[in-house]
């Protein structure tokens, strides 16, 4: 599925940017404008767009992972052409927007690019078929390794002589407390 099932974003704490943008419709209507004003919300992973600020259900939503944000002055021929940007992902729908000002368009692009950079640095590839990739250093389901590890530790412990030394470093001018 290209688009995620629309869900309300109310109560979401990690809203990074929100505001009104004009979104270009996929198929221009014969009767209406090809640009519709939408309340847009950017979270850590998802872009939502609503009919207006008070709408509870989004008109659409998509994951921004693998998308690229860039200014797109070619989208309009009028005075607002410097306010345009697009979100592009190979093999997926391209989303085209017009911001209220050129500075706002740049800010939207910067926010999405920052988020994408953040997502790519935090993403750890996970292969569901490979159970050994799980990072669990507390419990080990491999009883052979656990028992041999314990045996080794127990043998080492028998050879260690415990000295009655303080485990803290003695600073110059101070003496260790020996009791």
């Amino acid at each position: 599925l290209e688009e995620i099932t629309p869900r309300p974003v109310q109560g979401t704490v990690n809203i990074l940017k929100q505001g009104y943008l004009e979104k270009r419709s996929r198929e221009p209507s014969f009767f209406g404008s090809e640009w519709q004003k939408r309340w847009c919300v950017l979270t850590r992973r998802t872009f939502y767009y609503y009919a207006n600020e008070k709408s509870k259900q989004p008109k659409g939503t998509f994951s921004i992972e693998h998308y690229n944000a860039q200014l797109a002055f070619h989208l309009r021929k009028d005075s607002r052409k410097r306010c345009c940007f697009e979100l592009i992902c190979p093999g997926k729908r391209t989303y085209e927007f017009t911001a209220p000002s050129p500075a706002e368009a740049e800010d939207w692009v910067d926010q999405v690019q920052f988020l994408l950079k953040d997502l790519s640095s935090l993403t750890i590839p996970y292969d569901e078929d490979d159970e050994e990739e799980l990072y669990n250093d507390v419990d080990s389901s491999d009883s052979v390794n656990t028992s041999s590890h314990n045996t080794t530790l127990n043998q080492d412990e028998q050879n260690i002589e415990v000295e009655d030394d303080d485990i803290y470093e003695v600073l110059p001018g101070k003496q260790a407390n020996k009791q």
Side-chain angles (χ1 to χ4, degrees):
L1 282 174
E2 182 179 321
E3 294 188 26
I4 310 169
T5 307
R7 286 187 315 231
V9 79
Q10 272 70 22
T12 304
V13 233
N14 47 354
I15 292 175
L16 300 175
K17 184 153 182 69
Q18 60 187 345
Y20 278 105
L21 296 171
E22 288 183 20
K23 182 183 133 328
R24 184 180 242 169
S25 60
R26 202 185 302 205
E27 293 118 21
S29 167
F30 180 73
F31 298 106
S33 168
E34 64 177 323
W35 294 94
Q36 290 115 11
K37 190 174 182 180
R38 297 287 182 238
W39 178 255
C40 298
V41 178
L42 178 65
T43 65
R44 283 198 70 227
R45 294 185 182 273
T46 309
F47 194 101
Y48 299 85
Y49 52 96
Y50 297 83
N52 60 51
E53 192 175 352
K54 295 182 181 1
S55 297
K56 299 216 183 279
Q57 263 324 98
K59 288 199 130 319
T61 139
F62 60 95
S63 170
I64 64 154
E65 280 189 271
H66 310 296
Y67 268 83
N68 182 33
Q70 62 189 29
L71 294 173
F73 301 151
H74 66 278
L75 294 179
R76 293 179 83 133
K77 303 289 180 224
D78 61 9
S79 61
R80 305 210 34 222
K81 68 181 183 182
R82 292 209 161 298
C83 303
C84 298
F85 68 96
E86 57 190 357
L87 301 174
I88 303 168
C89 182
K92 293 189 178 183
R93 177 181 173 190
T94 295
Y95 291 89
E96 301 167 331
F97 297 96
T98 302
S101 70
E104 267 297 295
E106 284 182 41
D107 193 41
W108 277 96
V109 168
D110 290 347
Q111 288 292 329
V112 172
Q113 292 293 29
F114 175 78
L115 192 56
L116 292 171
K117 206 175 288 181
D118 190 40
L119 280 174
S120 67
S121 69
L122 294 176
T123 304
I124 299 172
Y126 174 70
D127 185 2
E128 292 180 22
D129 298 333
D130 193 1
E131 289 296 319
E132 292 178 350
E133 288 297 315
L134 294 175
Y135 297 100
N136 186 356
D137 57 356
V138 177
D139 296 334
S140 176
S141 60
D142 189 354
S143 59
V144 176
N145 284 347
T146 305
S147 61
S148 66
H149 182 66
N150 287 344
T151 305
T152 306
L153 282 177
N154 291 339
Q155 288 171 350
D156 289 346
E157 285 173 3
Q158 292 171 359
N159 297 335
I160 297 175
E161 291 181 25
V162 180
E163 295 179 19
D164 188 22
D165 277 343
D166 215 343
I167 62 168
Y168 297 101
E169 177 182 358
V170 178
L171 296 174
K174 304 237 179 186
Q175 283 198 328
N177 287 339
K178 295 255 182 189
Q179 293 179 344

